Amino acid sequence: CIYPTYDYTHCLCDSIENITHSLCTKEFQARRSSYYWLCNSLDVYCPVQWEYGRLNIYYTVVSKRKILKLVENQCVRDWDDPRLFTLTALRRRGFPPEAINNFCAKVGVTMAQVSIDPTMLESCVRDMLNNTARRAMAVLDPLKVVITNFPSDKAISCSVPNIPHEASSGSHEVVFDRIVYIDRSDFRQEPEKGYRRLTQGQSVGLKHSGYVIMLDKIIKDDKGEVTEIQVRCSPVDQAEKPKAFIQWISQPLSCEIRLYNRLFMHKNPQDPEQVPGGFLTDVNPNSLEILSNALVDQSVAGSKQLERFQFERVGYFCVDFDSTPGKLVFNRTVTLKEDSGKN
């Protein structure tokens, strides 16, 4: 009687499916002899079994059993949760297949067990998206700005290049109106040393609009929180050159943005010396941040699932499956090379 064990089914399934090379991790090296023996004994086509070292990635786990525990303990939503490194998770997060292939080519195949920092994979993704992701503008933490001397009775149309260094990619139009929204981090009530954006006595440029704005008035609520600022605008060629240009939005679309960080707090969550309580105790409570009131420009309306964008000065994002006709949901794929929160 032959039982359908792994040793029995593995080689025969490969043979039936005409697999040329069966790639396994090193723990299956001891099973190679039985793999060949059964195929030869049954006189069927015998593929080649190759073993290689497992590729581990810091700050995550790749074992199916451990991922299952993460799902069962509701540490992640499912196998395609963008914080994981399964192929379905990377796809949902917006990683292009070409970037993953480039990463694998850079790492290579070795018999040694290797651990890689995830920043290497993210760099491959960033390089690919820089040349393929269409630009758009988004504001994660909106602050209302009223331009008191807006130069037109109606909204102005501004042209934005889809991919600035690829002229053939074309451009799209965004609306510039009397009311715009900027990110709250791009404004300070009082000047700070080294701060380069909008504050008292310091102007800032609005990207693609051709205008610079200067602070006039700050409006606060009963709790002392800034709810609105009023500014004056000047054409960029008639104003003192600003130290920085920021993204902005007029007539925006409301959206949800999900910011993903490392799933685990320690580099090696499976190391008992670093994490004596086990990997489940090392899950980062801040690995997912949901921004429900973010704003994005009208150019992304009607975007398809998994469509990728670069939100200028913010990062690369992908349309999630949870999007609805009434509200888009974006997953942050990777950040930009430069810190968007810099002064």
Side-chain angles (χ1 to χ4, degrees):
C1 179
I2 300 177
Y3 292 93
T5 62
Y6 180 85
D7 284 313
Y8 176 69
T9 58
H10 181 200
C11 57
L12 294 185
C13 285
D14 287 350
S15 177
I16 293 169
E17 295 174 3
N18 287 316
I19 300 298
T20 59
H21 295 78
S22 180
L23 305 180
C24 313
T25 47
K26 279 192 67 178
E27 58 262 35
F28 294 99
Q29 190 169 11
R31 322 286 273 275
R32 192 198 307 166
S33 57
S34 66
Y35 185 102
Y36 290 157
W37 173 83
L38 186 55
C39 287
N40 293 330
S41 296
L42 296 176
D43 196 24
V44 296
Y45 162 67
C46 184
V48 176
Q49 176 172 306
W50 275 3
E51 304 86 16
Y52 56 91
R54 178 192 292 272
L55 174 62
N56 292 314
I57 300 180
Y58 292 135
Y59 299 103
T60 191
V61 293
V62 294
S63 162
K64 293 189 290 292
R65 288 181 290 274
K66 289 184 171 63
I67 292 174
L68 180 59
K69 287 186 178 180
L70 289 170
V71 175
E72 290 175 342
N73 285 271
Q74 298 182 343
C75 300
V76 295
R77 281 184 279 187
D78 211 332
W79 289 76
D80 66 347
D81 189 299
R83 289 167 289 183
L84 295 172
F85 278 76
T86 63
L87 287 178
T88 54
L90 296 179
R91 176 174 178 261
R92 185 169 186 174
R93 187 162 173 171
F95 282 30
E98 300 87 349
I100 298 174
N101 289 338
N102 291 342
F103 167 73
C104 292
K106 284 185 176 183
V107 172
V109 178
T110 175
M111 290 290 286
Q113 186 162 304
V114 178
S115 294
I116 297 290
D117 195 281
T119 54
M120 184 174 178
L121 173 56
E122 291 170 358
S123 176
C124 293
V125 172
R126 196 177 287 113
D127 289 344
M128 179 65 61
L129 293 180
N130 182 53
N131 296 319
T132 57
R134 180 164 69 82
R135 274 44 171 181
M137 290 193 286
V139 172
L140 305 192
D141 187 9
L143 174 62
K144 183 179 179 181
V145 178
V146 178
I147 303 174
T148 56
N149 66 333
F150 191 72
S152 175
D153 294 334
K154 57 183 181 180
I156 300 172
S157 182
C158 302
S159 179
V160 178
N162 290 332
I163 301 176
H165 57 277
E166 295 284 350
S168 60
S169 67
S171 62
H172 60 275
E173 300 296 311
V174 296
V175 172
F176 179 43
D177 209 345
R178 179 175 176 269
I179 296 176
V180 302
Y181 295 88
I182 66 172
D183 200 280
R184 197 170 290 271
S185 64
D186 288 329
F187 167 73
R188 292 285 187 275
Q189 295 187 55
E190 299 296 335
E192 298 176 4
K193 184 178 179 180
Y195 190 73
R196 302 169 62 86
R197 289 160 285 162
L198 186 61
T199 188
Q200 296 281 1
Q202 181 169 281
S203 64
V204 73
L206 300 180
K207 297 190 73 171
H208 311 298
S209 71
Y211 284 89
V212 173
I213 57 174
M214 175 69 77
L215 182 64
D216 260 350
K217 185 178 180 181
I218 301 173
I219 299 175
K220 302 180 181 181
D221 61 15
D222 295 338
K223 298 179 181 178
E225 295 183 3
V226 178
T227 57
E228 177 184 314
I229 59 175
Q230 296 181 359
V231 302
R232 290 173 288 109
C233 73
S234 302
V236 70
D237 57 356
Q238 298 177 20
E240 182 180 348
K241 184 178 179 181
K243 294 180 179 180
F245 284 81
I246 62 174
Q247 82 275 21
W248 53 273
I249 300 175
S250 283
Q251 301 180 16
L253 294 174
S254 177
C255 69
E256 178 179 300
I257 288 184
R258 298 171 180 173
L259 305 179
Y260 296 97
N261 299 302
R262 288 170 175 164
L263 182 56
F264 294 97
M265 294 181 287
H266 287 83
K267 195 174 184 178
N268 297 301
Q270 302 170 84
D271 185 345
E273 293 186 2
Q274 291 187 32
V275 188
F279 73 98
L280 289 177
T281 66
D282 195 49
V283 173
N284 179 9
N286 301 313
S287 62
L288 171 60
E289 182 181 359
I290 298 177
L291 306 177
S292 301
N293 299 311
L295 302 176
V296 68
D297 71 52
Q298 293 276 354
S299 70
V300 305
S303 298
K304 299 177 181 178
Q305 292 178 349
L306 301 182
E307 190 169 351
R308 305 178 186 98
F309 296 92
Q310 183 199 105
F311 291 161
E312 298 195 42
R313 298 183 64 247
V314 179
Y316 294 98
F317 291 79
C318 174
V319 181
D320 189 73
F321 298 125
D322 291 339
S323 296
T324 65
K327 191 166 188 176
L328 290 170
V329 177
F330 293 94
N331 295 322
R332 183 172 66 186
T333 306
V334 288
T335 58
L336 298 176
K337 283 185 179 180
E338 297 181 353
D339 180 11
S340 63
K342 68 178 183 179
N343 291 334

